Structure formats: C-alpha cells, structure tokens
C-alpha cells in the first residue's frame, strides 16, 4: 500500500506554501512584477511625480528627443521587465537588477537624488535575491535528496 498524504500534489503544494524561502520568492516575484508595470505605466501619466525631472542632464543631452520622450521609452522597458519577471523570474530578476543599476548610475550623476539611488540599491539587492530564489523555486522541481 502506497497511500501517504505527503506525496499527494495538494500536500506537496501546502508544504511549499509553508516554506519561508518559497514565501520570500512569491513576495519578491509579485512585487517585482507589479511595481515595474505600475511605475512604467506612470511614466506616461506622471501622476506619482514629474518623471522627466529624474533624468540626469547629461543623459537628456545624449538621448534623442525630450526628457518626456525618454521617460516613455523607460516606461515601456519597465513594463516589459515586470512582465518578464512574472513569466521568467530567473531571468527577470537579473533584468530588473541591471535596469536598477542603470537608474542608480543616472541618479548618482545628478546631484540631489542620492537618497533615491540608495533606495534603488536596496531594490537591486531584492531583485538579485529574487533571481537566486527563482533558481530554487521556479521551473522544473528538483527532488530533495
């Protein structure tokens, strides 16, 4: 008789949901899916802040068009990054971390935004943690030995 409750799919799912590492993965995946999409959408509306004001002047000189046009491109990239995190968090976590590194460079070269750069560094660490947790919790399940 091979009747054990711990081997059923429902029991395995409950065990996963009770795992603190899996809970951290789900929290980070949800946050790094929703936040980039919402912030990306706001680049088109400027409801949360005046986004073009965060673009370093040297970057504004380099990118074609206006600072607002650059923010439209940023918005599209952020929306795509959020969708990628939702679908493929192992890759999406690194994508968001790289994007945040670029934002940090922008902010560090623009006086007055060092606090935001520090906050974004914390977000970058969270994105790296998501990518690492996704190695364990997303994709084909590996049986524990």
């Amino acid at each position: 008789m091979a009747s054990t409750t711990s081997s059923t799919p429902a029991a395995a799912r409950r065990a996963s949901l009770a795992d603190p590492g899996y809970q951290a993965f789900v929290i980070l995946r949800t946050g790094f899916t929703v936040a980039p999409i919402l912030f990306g959408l706001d680049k088109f509306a400027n409801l949360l802040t005046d986004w073009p004001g965060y673009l370093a002047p040297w970057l504004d000189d380099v990118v074609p068009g206006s600072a607002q046009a650059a923010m439209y491109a940023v918005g599209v990239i952020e929306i795509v990054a959020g969708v990628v995190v939702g679908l493929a968090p192992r890759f999406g976590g690194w994508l968001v971390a790289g994007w945040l590194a670029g934002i940090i460079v922008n902010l560090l070269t623009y006086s007055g935004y060092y606090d935001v750069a520090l906050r974004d560094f914390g977000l970058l660490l969270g994105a790296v943690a998501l990518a690492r947790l996704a190695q364990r919790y997303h994709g084909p399940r590996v049986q524990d030995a």
Side-chain angles (χ1 to χ4, degrees):
M1 285 190 220
S3 174
T4 59
T5 57
S6 63
S7 64
T8 66
R13 178 98 173 124
R14 277 192 300 277
S16 290
L17 293 174
D19 176 10
Y22 182 74
Q23 292 170 0
F25 166 71
V26 170
I27 291 166
L28 289 169
R29 184 180 186 184
T30 302
F32 282 107
T33 297
V34 174
I37 292 171
L38 291 178
F39 284 123
L41 289 171
D42 194 57
K43 298 301 188 289
F44 294 90
N46 290 308
L47 295 174
L48 297 173
T49 190
D50 178 37
W51 290 110
Y54 284 86
L55 188 64
W58 70 272
L59 271 174
D60 192 17
D61 292 340
V62 172
V63 297
S66 67
Q68 183 58 56
M71 286 299 121
Y72 293 149
V74 166
V76 170
I77 292 167
E78 289 176 346
I79 292 166
V80 168
V83 170
V84 171
V85 168
L87 297 175
R90 282 183 280 185
F91 174 72
W94 292 114
L95 176 65
V96 170
W99 183 248
L100 285 164
I103 292 171
I104 291 166
V105 168
N106 169 67
L107 293 171
L108 289 176
T109 62
Y110 192 20
S111 181
Y113 291 99
Y114 303 129
D115 57 331
V116 180
L118 180 60
R119 181 216 50 207
D120 284 353
F121 181 71
L123 289 171
L124 183 148
L125 295 177
V128 169
L130 168 64
R132 296 300 299 138
L133 286 167
Q135 286 295 124
R136 167 111 170 110
Y137 295 108
H138 188 261
R141 297 275 178 196
V142 178
Q143 295 295 328
D144 293 336

